[in-house]
Structures are given as structure tokens and as C-alpha cells.
Amino acid sequence: MIKLAKYLKPFIPGLIIAIILLFAQAVFDLNLPNYMSNIVNVGIQQNGIAESTPAAISPAGYTFISTFMSADEKALLNASYSLKSGTDQNKRGRRYEELYPAAASSPIYVLADDLSQETVDQLDTAFGTAVWTMINVMRSLADAGAGVGAGMGADAGMGAGAGVGTGASVGAGVGAGASAGTSSSAGAGTGTGTSTANINPSALDIQSIDITQVYKMQPLLTQLPPAIFAAARDAALQMDATLLKKSATMMVSVFYKELGLDIVAYQRNYIIRVGLLMLLLALGSGAATILVSLLSSRIAAGTARDLRNDIFEKVSRFSTAEFDRFSTASLITRSTNDVMQIQMLLAIGIRMVCYAPIMGIGGVIMALEKSTSMSWIIAAACAVLLGLIMIIFAVAMPKFKMMQKLVDRINLVARETLNGLPVIRAFSTSQFEKERFDNANKDLTRTGLFITRTVNFLMPIMMLIMNGVSLLIIWVGAHQVAQSQMQVGDMMAFMQYAMQIITSFLLISMMFIFIPRASVSAQRIAEVLETDPSIIDPDQPQAMDEFKRGYVEFRNVSFRYDGAEEDALKNISFVARPGETIAFIGSTGAGKTTLVRLIPRFFDTTSGEVLVNGVNVKELSQKELRSRIGYVPQKSVLMSGTIASNIKYGNEAASEAEVEQAARIAQALSFISEKPEGFNAEIAQGGTNVSGGQKQRLAIARAIAVKPDIFIFDDCFSALDFKTDAALRKALKEHTADSTVIMVAQRVSTIMNANQIYVLNEGKIVGHGTHQELLNTCPEYYEIAASQFSKEELRNA
């Protein structure tokens, strides 16, 4: 995979933008549970009041709350608040009596606008500590039976009375109790209350306090010993910071109600404000998703395009040796299916690889902010997921490697079957080919099913883990909520963060599905791209000697195929000159085709030199060399297009007249004129809609249209009848009078008029001369001729 990373360089700007968008999307998604938690905790439970320090407070409330503060906290309170009348305006120009109706009748204390965050944090702590100091003082009074008839509970509310207790416990209580007492009044009245010795903090409902009744306790509170406040304060400082803040916030709600603030409207506005913010975050996340999908698709498609271009360019420079190493079916698979795997990985992976870690790490951080005590749940879930992913990866990876080889195999079988249909039908082997294809198809199917089942096994396990984690969080979280160690909204947010973390692992596990197969594909692509062609142009190509134009010379040439045990050609030497026709003949496998393929440098010699126009072909550029050669291979290949486009394939600048002349020389004009479209008649892929003889004549016409210095005809007259063969050779002789013609043939009649005939046997030249000379001097040639002519024809030859 790393070897192909260079293909991402042109798309780095888009990749950076995609990563930034993914980071923004992750931030949006990670903040949604947090705002949901705020709606539950603040919007619903705290009436929309988020602050622990009141923005405004009545003088009575100011005096009352400061009673439970230390000297330093009182100094901070005095420095932070100032007394304002109802007609005074805040920094936004609104009068305080508009915000707090109670300010119309009496001044109120207002929090300064220019406080630092550090000061606000100190005030939050001071108010939270003061509220719990107040609660603890009430408890101690209730337990001691001090005669303060004040009760504050979740159901009974809060009452106050001053008197002297004379019997049962009559006192100040915070909570819900069962025992009640009466006191004999000594002045201000009688009071009833509930004992709070066994108070449950989770049952507190500070927001239901009747604050005006609580203020009546102020004279008594001023007479209490400092030790009671000190003990109550020490107990308050031991409380959880979250609970302190929540209690202070509830007390702020009480102060706001006293000032006449519309709590219902305040709560509604808070929920709407946070809800709209969540909607904006969701829209932002959706927009980022769309943009990332667009960018990742463009990056993936562009990378795939560049890969296909480079593979095609590399393969087009391969010599026959490289094609022998990579089968045609494999090269097709590598340039299509393997590239598609890379494209899919990029299209999906850019999002998953970047998004999943951000969500996973961010989810862990955000979850720990909500509760560290339940972090073990996430750790356990992640450990199980990691183990599961590693097991699946170990099982599936070998199958992914096998998958691409099986795709190669099925492509090979399908290609051979389609190309060989005439032969298959002729020998009635359709059933055998069906079984061969069926076996290849079943192997691919079995492997694909194994991978699919393995991957599908992951999904229900992931869902089981996710649901199990949800239940565990609810179970543990509910106990913590009951013990006032966590708020309901925080538990809900923690659950969502846990789901986000597990989803991140799910996305990562999906990448473990794509990455192995794409890695195998990348390795296969890299093998092609890293294969250096065995035939390459020299660094400084030489120019051809125009005085030796058309000359072809072999000097002691030997050639051996890769992996072969002996040479296919041995010590071959000859010279072909312009105006001459040089022919090669011999038994099958003698090396005729191999010899002529050395001229256009389809292979390089093992030893010796091949010279064209006076220069060693290894010192020439391949394009320059082949532009001087008109080559007609043994197996004629036509391209899809028209007859005209095939004839002009080697010379796009050829005029209509030149195309027609080439067709006339190749004896192709007769069958072309019979087609309604003429030269514009369509040629199917591979030339399947023309006969073998027509295909050969069009291939010859294509070579003629190039106007080369050298013609090479590699047994390309075999499909022609004798009449057409004779007419074609006659026309060629007239047209190629100034060119060098090198011809390979099996029929003696095709080459008997050549200037020189070379007889090959087992890679060696065993005779050369004219037709008549070889009949008298070369037994091998005589044997070939005798197999094709009668004795009388040989005597008259």
C-alpha cells in the first residue's frame, strides 16, 4: 500500500480539506450528546438555569446565603456584587425591573459584568459550599432538637417557627421524615417539622423551598455558635463538586423566583436555544458528510484513473518476456478489479480511517468527563472488540489473498472459453468447458461466502456488545444517580459516547475487511508497476545510417528463452539488402518466427548483434526502429473500428488514396468493395467478422500503408488461396522494389522466387541459396519441397 502512496500526491489539498471536514464533523457529533445532557440536566431538572452563581439576588437572600460563607468568600461576594435600583440599566440597556420585577419595589444585588472566569469559578464553589453548609446546619439543628421549627422536605416544603422545645424532637429538618413534634411556644409561635437524622440527599428538592419562610430563621442563625458552621462547612467541602454545583444552581432558581423571574419562560427559552444549537450541529455534520463523500469519491476516482493509466503504459512497454511472466487474464484483472479495490478503499477509507479514530479518542475523553467511575465498561467493551477484530483478521486475511488469484483464474477460463468457442464446438467439449468454468466459479464462490460469513458474524456480535454495554451503563448509572453521584443527563450522554466509541471500533473493523483485500490488490499492482521491461531504449539513441537504409544484418546471433535449457537460435548470420527478398523456411519449431522477431526487437539477442540500417538495434530507440519496419505477424490481429482505421493504424496521416492503394496491393479491394459501407465497414473486436484470409490481407495492407524500409512477413500468406497468393506476391514485388523484404513461409511456392532462401533446422542455418540451388544442395529443403510438389514439378522447377 505504501508503494502506491505517491498516487495521492496530486490530491493532497483535497485530502487535507477532507480531514479538516472530518475533524469538524467529529467535533459536531461529539458535542451533540453533551448538549442533550444539558437539556436534561439544566433544561429540565434545573429549569434552564445553568449558572451556580445568581446574576441577581435580593438583599434578604444576599444576607442569608452569606451567613454560611467563610470570611474570604464573603469578601469575594462583596467584591463581585453591587446594589442596584430597578431603574438602573445593565450593559445591554435594559432596566433591572424589566428583568426582575421585584427590583421595582426594592434594590437588588447584581453580579458585576466584567468578572474573570477564575472569579466566576470561585463564586460557583462558594455558593455550592454555602448551600450544603446551610443543609448541614439544618441537619445538626434537627438532630440536636434546638427548638427551631423549620422543616424542609421533598413533600412537606419548609416551615419555620421560633420557640423552645419541651418534649419530642421539634426542629429544623431537611428531607422527608416520619416523626413530628410540637413545641410550647415562647413567643413567636409554634412550629412543626420533620426529623432529618436519616436524610437521603437524593430526595432533596431545594427548588420547592419557600424562601420567605427560611429568611425568618436569620435571627436564630446569627446566634448559633461558630463551631456548628465550621463542622457543617467541613462536611460540605467533602461533597462531590458536581453535586455542589447542582445544589447551588437549584438555589439560584429559588433566588430568581423570589425576584419575580418567569422560570417557565426561562426554561423554555433555554431548551429552544440549546435545541436550535443541536440542530445547527446536526446540519453542520450532515454538510461535512456530503462534502467528504464528494472529496473522497473524487480522490478515489482520480487515483484509480492514474493507476490504470500507469498500468496500461507500463504493460504497453512490456516485451514478450514480461507477458510470459504475467498472463493476459492476470493483467486484465490487475488493471480492473485490483484497481477497483484500491478505489473502494479510498472512497470509504478516507472517511473511516480519519473519522473513526477521532470519534473513538474524542468519545473516550468526553465520556471520562461525564463519569470516570464507569470507564471500566468502555475499557472492557474495547478489549472484547479488539480481540474479536484480531481473530477475524487472522482468519480472513489468507482468504483475501486467495480471492484475487481465484478472480484471475475465472477470468482466464472465461477468456479461453470465449476465444476458443469454434474449437470447443468442433470437438464437442462444451460440457468439459462448462465443468471447468463451474469449478473455477465454485472455488471463487466458496471463498467469497467464507469471507462474507466471517464478516457477517461480526455484525451481530457488535450489536450484542452495544446492547450489553447500554444495559450495563443503565444499571450502574441508575445506582449512581440514586446516590447523587451522577445526573440523569450525564448518564444518557455517557451511553451515547459509549455507542460512538463502539461504532468507531465497528468502522475500524470494517476497514480490516477492506484493507487486507486492497493490500493484496496493491501488491499485485505494484508488481506490475515495479517490473522493468527487459527491452528498454538506450540513454542516448544513435541515429540510423541513411546510406545503409533498408539493410538488415545478423552477426553470429544466438538467442535463448528465459528458463530454457538450450538456445532457440544458434550462431545465425546473414545480410538482407534493399531490393532483395530474403526468405526463411524450415520445419515447425525451427526458430523462424523467433528470428524475425529479433529484428523489431521484440526480444533481445543472447549473444551477437542484429543491425538495422547499419546500427545495432539495441542502440536505437524502439519507436524509430519500428517506424522503419512493416511487420505482419503470423497471427493477424485487427482492432475494433473500421477497415480504413485498421489500414491507417500505423500511419494516421495516410490519405484515402494511399489507403486504397494499400488495399489494392494486398488484394483486399475486391471484398472491401462488396461491403455497402466500403472502407467504413465496421471490424469487430479481434476481426471476428472477417475470414482468416481477409484478416491477413488487411494486416498486409496495414504494413504497406506505413511505407517502411523493411517488410517482415511472418507466414502471413497461409490462409490465402494459390491464386490470391500469386497475385499478392506479384503486386508486392512491384511495390517493394526498393524495400527489403524478409519473409517466413511454410509453402515453398510462396518463397521460391526469393533472392536468398535460408533453411532453418533446430535453430541453425543448414542451407541457403536460391530455390534451385537448395534443391540440389540442401536435403532438408528438398524434403520440404518434395512434400509439396510432385516429382515432375520438382524436375521442372
Side-chain angles (χ1 to χ4, degrees), residues 235-292:
L237 292 174
Q238 302 300 317
M239 300 294 296
D240 182 74
T242 302
L243 187 59
L244 288 176
K245 184 176 180 181
K246 180 181 177 182
S247 302
T249 302
M250 291 181 177
M251 199 65 189
V252 170
S253 177
V254 173
F255 290 142
Y256 283 169
K257 286 179 183 178
E258 181 191 5
L259 295 176
L261 185 68
D262 188 348
I263 296 297
V264 174
Y266 196 90
Q267 181 183 40
R268 181 177 62 250
N269 292 337
Y270 178 86
I271 293 175
I272 292 174
R273 184 170 65 253
V274 177
L276 289 174
L277 184 57
M278 291 180 69
L279 180 61
L280 288 175
L281 289 176
L283 291 175
S285 177
T289 301
I290 294 171
L291 291 174
V292 169

Side-chain angles (χ1 to χ4, degrees), residues 333-497:
T333 304
R334 292 171 198 244
S335 60
T336 53
N337 186 276
D338 285 327
V339 172
M340 182 60 68
Q341 297 301 323
I342 302 296
Q343 184 173 347
M344 288 178 60
L345 175 66
L346 290 175
I348 300 174
I350 289 175
R351 175 173 172 76
M352 289 187 180
V353 170
C354 300
Y355 180 75
I358 296 174
M359 283 294 294
I361 296 172
V364 170
I365 295 173
M366 299 293 282
L368 291 178
E369 288 183 357
K370 294 298 179 184
S371 174
T372 56
S373 60
M374 291 197 297
S375 59
W376 63 270
I377 299 176
I378 296 177
C382 292
V384 173
L385 285 172
L386 281 174
L388 183 64
I389 291 171
M390 291 177 66
I391 292 172
I392 291 178
F393 182 77
V395 171
M397 185 62 178
K399 297 296 182 181
F400 280 120
K401 292 182 178 179
M402 187 186 300
M403 192 79 171
Q404 295 308 106
K405 294 181 180 179
L406 293 175
V407 172
D408 279 354
R409 175 64 182 167
I410 200 168
N411 283 344
L412 175 63
V413 174
R415 186 171 181 272
E416 286 182 347
T417 302
L418 294 174
N419 288 340
L421 276 177
V423 176
I424 293 169
R425 289 168 180 167
F427 287 92
S428 300
T429 56
S430 298
Q431 187 60 37
F432 171 77
E433 292 300 329
K434 287 179 182 178
E435 291 176 359
R436 194 160 73 106
F437 181 82
D438 188 53
N439 290 334
N441 194 20
K442 285 180 178 177
D443 289 342
L444 180 61
T445 303
R446 280 194 294 268
T447 305
L449 284 174
F450 179 85
I451 293 172
T452 303
R453 288 166 182 163
T454 303
V455 172
N456 289 343
F457 174 76
L458 180 64
M459 185 58 67
I461 295 297
M462 293 291 292
M463 295 305 299
L464 178 64
I465 293 173
M466 291 177 71
N467 292 327
V469 168
S470 297
L471 290 174
L472 193 58
I473 291 173
I474 292 173
W475 176 265
V476 176
H479 285 80
Q480 295 190 3
V481 170
Q483 297 172 7
S484 297
Q485 296 176 358
M486 174 182 276
Q487 298 188 67
V488 175
D490 291 342
M491 182 189 72
M492 296 172 63
F494 188 90
M495 187 186 306
Q496 290 196 22
Y497 285 129

Side-chain angles (χ1 to χ4, degrees), residues 7-8 10-11 300-312 529:
Y7 287 92
L8 289 175
F11 307 102
T303 303
R305 176 201 61 209
D306 294 342
L307 276 172
R308 282 192 294 268
N309 285 339
D310 285 1
I311 292 172
F312 182 81
L529 296 176

Side-chain angles (χ1 to χ4, degrees), residues 740-784:
T740 303
V741 178
I742 298 175
M743 189 178 296
V744 172
Q746 295 287 353
R747 295 200 305 223
V748 173
S749 60
T750 303
I751 62 170
M752 60 190 305
N753 294 320
N755 298 100
Q756 283 287 315
I757 301 172
Y758 289 86
V759 182
L760 290 178
N761 186 31
E762 296 183 355
K764 296 182 288 186
I765 295 177
V766 296
H768 68 90
T770 63
H771 170 66
Q772 191 60 51
E773 291 172 349
L774 289 171
L775 286 175
N776 298 324
T777 61
C778 183
E780 288 85 358
Y781 184 79
Y782 184 86
E783 183 180 347
I784 294 172

Side-chain angles (χ1 to χ4, degrees), residues 670-689:
S670 57
F671 78 83
I672 294 175
S673 61
E674 293 175 357
K675 295 182 179 292
E677 303 90 349
F679 283 93
N680 292 323
E682 290 292 327
I683 297 294
Q685 183 181 5
T688 56
N689 60 338

